[in-house]
Amino acid sequence: MKKPLSKPLDAMKSVRWTGIVFLQSRSQGAVPSVVGEFLSEWRDQLPEPWRTHAILDALRGSYIQTSNDIIILDESGLTAGKDTSSAAHRKVTGPQARKWHEKFKSTRR
């Protein structure tokens, strides 16, 4: 029997990612979010079985709590640990930047 090609989603990673993206979208206008409203709306974005995981501890390091009921997105926490020098982020220049049809033109008869 063959193994399935796709893996099931990791609930905690998905909940965290959804929470960060949702907080980021709410922070576009630089307006702080009220914790209760944010948590309620965040849970509404998730599938039913994952809603219990939508707590502030899941977003640790990605937000700043300015008071007991106000949170804002911590931009520095989002970029920490990301390697921006990886090959995927570098722009390809020179002969490597050629289009595929130019690259294989010499092999055509």
Side-chain angles (χ1 to χ4, degrees), residues 11 15 40 42-54:
V15 167
S40 175
W42 177 23
R43 287 182 185 120
D44 289 344
Q45 305 298 318
L46 298 169
E48 194 68 39
W50 294 358
R51 291 182 183 192
T52 58
H53 301 297

PDB file of all heavy atoms in Angstrom, residues 11 15 40 42-54:
ATOM      1  N   ALA A  11      -1.676  21.199  13.769  1.00  0.00           N
ATOM      2  CA  ALA A  11      -2.669  22.124  14.317  1.00  0.00           C
ATOM      3  C   ALA A  11      -2.010  23.312  15.004  1.00  0.00           C
ATOM      4  O   ALA A  11      -2.403  24.455  14.785  1.00  0.00           O
ATOM      5  CB  ALA A  11      -3.596  21.397  15.286  1.00  0.00           C
ATOM      6  N   VAL A  15      -2.428  27.089  13.784  1.00  0.00           N
ATOM      7  CA  VAL A  15      -3.104  28.045  14.662  1.00  0.00           C
ATOM      8  C   VAL A  15      -2.206  29.254  14.891  1.00  0.00           C
ATOM      9  O   VAL A  15      -2.655  30.399  14.822  1.00  0.00           O
ATOM     10  CB  VAL A  15      -3.498  27.378  16.004  1.00  0.00           C
ATOM     11  CG1 VAL A  15      -3.910  28.402  17.033  1.00  0.00           C
ATOM     12  CG2 VAL A  15      -4.610  26.376  15.777  1.00  0.00           C
ATOM     13  N   SER A  40     -11.466  36.310  20.147  1.00  0.00           N
ATOM     14  CA  SER A  40     -12.762  35.866  19.645  1.00  0.00           C
ATOM     15  C   SER A  40     -12.764  35.801  18.114  1.00  0.00           C
ATOM     16  O   SER A  40     -13.206  34.805  17.523  1.00  0.00           O
ATOM     17  CB  SER A  40     -13.853  36.814  20.135  1.00  0.00           C
ATOM     18  OG  SER A  40     -15.086  36.476  19.578  1.00  0.00           O
ATOM     19  N   TRP A  42     -10.108  35.661  16.151  1.00  0.00           N
ATOM     20  CA  TRP A  42      -9.106  34.679  15.733  1.00  0.00           C
ATOM     21  C   TRP A  42      -9.709  33.278  15.769  1.00  0.00           C
ATOM     22  O   TRP A  42      -9.542  32.486  14.850  1.00  0.00           O
ATOM     23  CB  TRP A  42      -7.892  34.793  16.627  1.00  0.00           C
ATOM     24  CG  TRP A  42      -6.773  33.824  16.395  1.00  0.00           C
ATOM     25  CD1 TRP A  42      -6.492  33.136  15.250  1.00  0.00           C
ATOM     26  CD2 TRP A  42      -5.779  33.435  17.340  1.00  0.00           C
ATOM     27  NE1 TRP A  42      -5.379  32.358  15.436  1.00  0.00           N
ATOM     28  CE2 TRP A  42      -4.916  32.519  16.702  1.00  0.00           C
ATOM     29  CE3 TRP A  42      -5.520  33.772  18.659  1.00  0.00           C
ATOM     30  CZ2 TRP A  42      -3.834  31.942  17.343  1.00  0.00           C
ATOM     31  CZ3 TRP A  42      -4.440  33.206  19.291  1.00  0.00           C
ATOM     32  CH2 TRP A  42      -3.605  32.301  18.643  1.00  0.00           C
ATOM     33  N   ARG A  43     -10.420  32.956  16.832  1.00  0.00           N
ATOM     34  CA  ARG A  43     -11.063  31.635  16.943  1.00  0.00           C
ATOM     35  C   ARG A  43     -12.078  31.421  15.832  1.00  0.00           C
ATOM     36  O   ARG A  43     -12.250  30.304  15.340  1.00  0.00           O
ATOM     37  CB  ARG A  43     -11.728  31.491  18.304  1.00  0.00           C
ATOM     38  CG  ARG A  43     -10.739  31.299  19.419  1.00  0.00           C
ATOM     39  CD  ARG A  43     -11.403  31.111  20.762  1.00  0.00           C
ATOM     40  NE  ARG A  43     -10.390  31.047  21.804  1.00  0.00           N
ATOM     41  CZ  ARG A  43     -10.317  31.899  22.818  1.00  0.00           C
ATOM     42  NH1 ARG A  43     -11.210  32.853  22.964  1.00  0.00           N
ATOM     43  NH2 ARG A  43      -9.343  31.774  23.698  1.00  0.00           N
ATOM     44  N   ASP A  44     -12.750  32.498  15.422  1.00  0.00           N
ATOM     45  CA  ASP A  44     -13.734  32.387  14.347  1.00  0.00           C
ATOM     46  C   ASP A  44     -13.082  32.029  13.006  1.00  0.00           C
ATOM     47  O   ASP A  44     -13.757  31.519  12.112  1.00  0.00           O
ATOM     48  CB  ASP A  44     -14.516  33.682  14.197  1.00  0.00           C
ATOM     49  CG  ASP A  44     -15.472  33.918  15.350  1.00  0.00           C
ATOM     50  OD1 ASP A  44     -15.752  32.964  16.102  1.00  0.00           O
ATOM     51  OD2 ASP A  44     -15.925  35.076  15.507  1.00  0.00           O
ATOM     52  N   GLN A  45     -11.788  32.290  12.869  1.00  0.00           N
ATOM     53  CA  GLN A  45     -11.076  31.995  11.624  1.00  0.00           C
ATOM     54  C   GLN A  45     -10.614  30.539  11.541  1.00  0.00           C
ATOM     55  O   GLN A  45     -10.175  30.098  10.493  1.00  0.00           O
ATOM     56  CB  GLN A  45      -9.838  32.901  11.493  1.00  0.00           C
ATOM     57  CG  GLN A  45     -10.103  34.371  11.587  1.00  0.00           C
ATOM     58  CD  GLN A  45     -11.015  34.871  10.494  1.00  0.00           C
ATOM     59  OE1 GLN A  45     -10.887  34.478   9.335  1.00  0.00           O
ATOM     60  NE2 GLN A  45     -11.952  35.725  10.850  1.00  0.00           N
ATOM     61  N   LEU A  46     -10.698  29.814  12.638  1.00  0.00           N
ATOM     62  CA  LEU A  46     -10.143  28.464  12.724  1.00  0.00           C
ATOM     63  C   LEU A  46     -11.219  27.387  12.628  1.00  0.00           C
ATOM     64  O   LEU A  46     -12.370  27.618  12.975  1.00  0.00           O
ATOM     65  CB  LEU A  46      -9.406  28.292  14.063  1.00  0.00           C
ATOM     66  CG  LEU A  46      -8.214  29.205  14.284  1.00  0.00           C
ATOM     67  CD1 LEU A  46      -7.755  29.121  15.728  1.00  0.00           C
ATOM     68  CD2 LEU A  46      -7.096  28.854  13.337  1.00  0.00           C
ATOM     69  N   PRO A  47     -10.818  26.175  12.208  1.00  0.00           N
ATOM     70  CA  PRO A  47     -11.753  25.053  12.249  1.00  0.00           C
ATOM     71  C   PRO A  47     -12.129  24.737  13.698  1.00  0.00           C
ATOM     72  O   PRO A  47     -11.354  24.989  14.619  1.00  0.00           O
ATOM     73  CB  PRO A  47     -10.956  23.894  11.644  1.00  0.00           C
ATOM     74  CG  PRO A  47      -9.782  24.494  10.972  1.00  0.00           C
ATOM     75  CD  PRO A  47      -9.547  25.818  11.611  1.00  0.00           C
ATOM     76  N   GLU A  48     -13.282  24.189  13.893  1.00  0.00           N
ATOM     77  CA  GLU A  48     -13.816  23.915  15.230  1.00  0.00           C
ATOM     78  C   GLU A  48     -12.848  23.158  16.151  1.00  0.00           C
ATOM     79  O   GLU A  48     -12.652  23.562  17.291  1.00  0.00           O
ATOM     80  CB  GLU A  48     -15.149  23.159  15.109  1.00  0.00           C
ATOM     81  CG  GLU A  48     -15.946  23.115  16.382  1.00  0.00           C
ATOM     82  CD  GLU A  48     -16.485  24.474  16.791  1.00  0.00           C
ATOM     83  OE1 GLU A  48     -16.912  25.245  15.926  1.00  0.00           O
ATOM     84  OE2 GLU A  48     -16.470  24.756  18.003  1.00  0.00           O
ATOM     85  N   PRO A  49     -12.206  22.076  15.705  1.00  0.00           N
ATOM     86  CA  PRO A  49     -11.323  21.335  16.620  1.00  0.00           C
ATOM     87  C   PRO A  49     -10.080  22.118  17.067  1.00  0.00           C
ATOM     88  O   PRO A  49      -9.473  21.790  18.077  1.00  0.00           O
ATOM     89  CB  PRO A  49     -10.893  20.111  15.804  1.00  0.00           C
ATOM     90  CG  PRO A  49     -11.836  20.016  14.679  1.00  0.00           C
ATOM     91  CD  PRO A  49     -12.364  21.382  14.428  1.00  0.00           C
ATOM     92  N   TRP A  50      -9.690  23.142  16.338  1.00  0.00           N
ATOM     93  CA  TRP A  50      -8.482  23.900  16.663  1.00  0.00           C
ATOM     94  C   TRP A  50      -8.748  25.111  17.541  1.00  0.00           C
ATOM     95  O   TRP A  50      -7.814  25.742  18.032  1.00  0.00           O
ATOM     96  CB  TRP A  50      -7.799  24.374  15.394  1.00  0.00           C
ATOM     97  CG  TRP A  50      -7.250  23.289  14.529  1.00  0.00           C
ATOM     98  CD1 TRP A  50      -7.263  21.945  14.776  1.00  0.00           C
ATOM     99  CD2 TRP A  50      -6.602  23.458  13.272  1.00  0.00           C
ATOM    100  NE1 TRP A  50      -6.667  21.273  13.746  1.00  0.00           N
ATOM    101  CE2 TRP A  50      -6.248  22.172  12.805  1.00  0.00           C
ATOM    102  CE3 TRP A  50      -6.298  24.559  12.492  1.00  0.00           C
ATOM    103  CZ2 TRP A  50      -5.592  21.974  11.600  1.00  0.00           C
ATOM    104  CZ3 TRP A  50      -5.640  24.351  11.289  1.00  0.00           C
ATOM    105  CH2 TRP A  50      -5.292  23.077  10.859  1.00  0.00           C
ATOM    106  N   ARG A  51      -9.979  25.478  17.732  1.00  0.00           N
ATOM    107  CA  ARG A  51     -10.303  26.732  18.425  1.00  0.00           C
ATOM    108  C   ARG A  51      -9.786  26.784  19.850  1.00  0.00           C
ATOM    109  O   ARG A  51      -9.484  27.852  20.351  1.00  0.00           O
ATOM    110  CB  ARG A  51     -11.808  26.971  18.387  1.00  0.00           C
ATOM    111  CG  ARG A  51     -12.266  27.287  16.986  1.00  0.00           C
ATOM    112  CD  ARG A  51     -13.725  27.575  16.898  1.00  0.00           C
ATOM    113  NE  ARG A  51     -14.057  27.784  15.497  1.00  0.00           N
ATOM    114  CZ  ARG A  51     -15.185  28.270  15.086  1.00  0.00           C
ATOM    115  NH1 ARG A  51     -16.122  28.591  15.953  1.00  0.00           N
ATOM    116  NH2 ARG A  51     -15.408  28.418  13.802  1.00  0.00           N
ATOM    117  N   THR A  52      -9.658  25.657  20.512  1.00  0.00           N
ATOM    118  CA  THR A  52      -9.165  25.657  21.889  1.00  0.00           C
ATOM    119  C   THR A  52      -7.685  26.009  21.958  1.00  0.00           C
ATOM    120  O   THR A  52      -7.192  26.411  23.011  1.00  0.00           O
ATOM    121  CB  THR A  52      -9.372  24.276  22.550  1.00  0.00           C
ATOM    122  OG1 THR A  52      -8.707  23.281  21.771  1.00  0.00           O
ATOM    123  CG2 THR A  52     -10.851  23.965  22.676  1.00  0.00           C
ATOM    124  N   HIS A  53      -6.970  25.894  20.841  1.00  0.00           N
ATOM    125  CA  HIS A  53      -5.538  26.225  20.798  1.00  0.00           C
ATOM    126  C   HIS A  53      -5.281  27.711  20.581  1.00  0.00           C
ATOM    127  O   HIS A  53      -4.134  28.151  20.648  1.00  0.00           O
ATOM    128  CB  HIS A  53      -4.841  25.435  19.690  1.00  0.00           C
ATOM    129  CG  HIS A  53      -4.943  23.955  19.835  1.00  0.00           C
ATOM    130  ND1 HIS A  53      -4.410  23.263  20.899  1.00  0.00           N
ATOM    131  CD2 HIS A  53      -5.538  23.027  19.044  1.00  0.00           C
ATOM    132  CE1 HIS A  53      -4.655  21.984  20.751  1.00  0.00           C
ATOM    133  NE2 HIS A  53      -5.354  21.805  19.645  1.00  0.00           N
ATOM    134  N   ALA A  54      -6.303  28.481  20.282  1.00  0.00           N
ATOM    135  CA  ALA A  54      -6.149  29.909  20.004  1.00  0.00           C
ATOM    136  C   ALA A  54      -6.061  30.694  21.314  1.00  0.00           C
ATOM    137  O   ALA A  54      -7.034  31.268  21.791  1.00  0.00           O
ATOM    138  CB  ALA A  54      -7.306  30.413  19.144  1.00  0.00           C
TER     139      ALA A  54
END
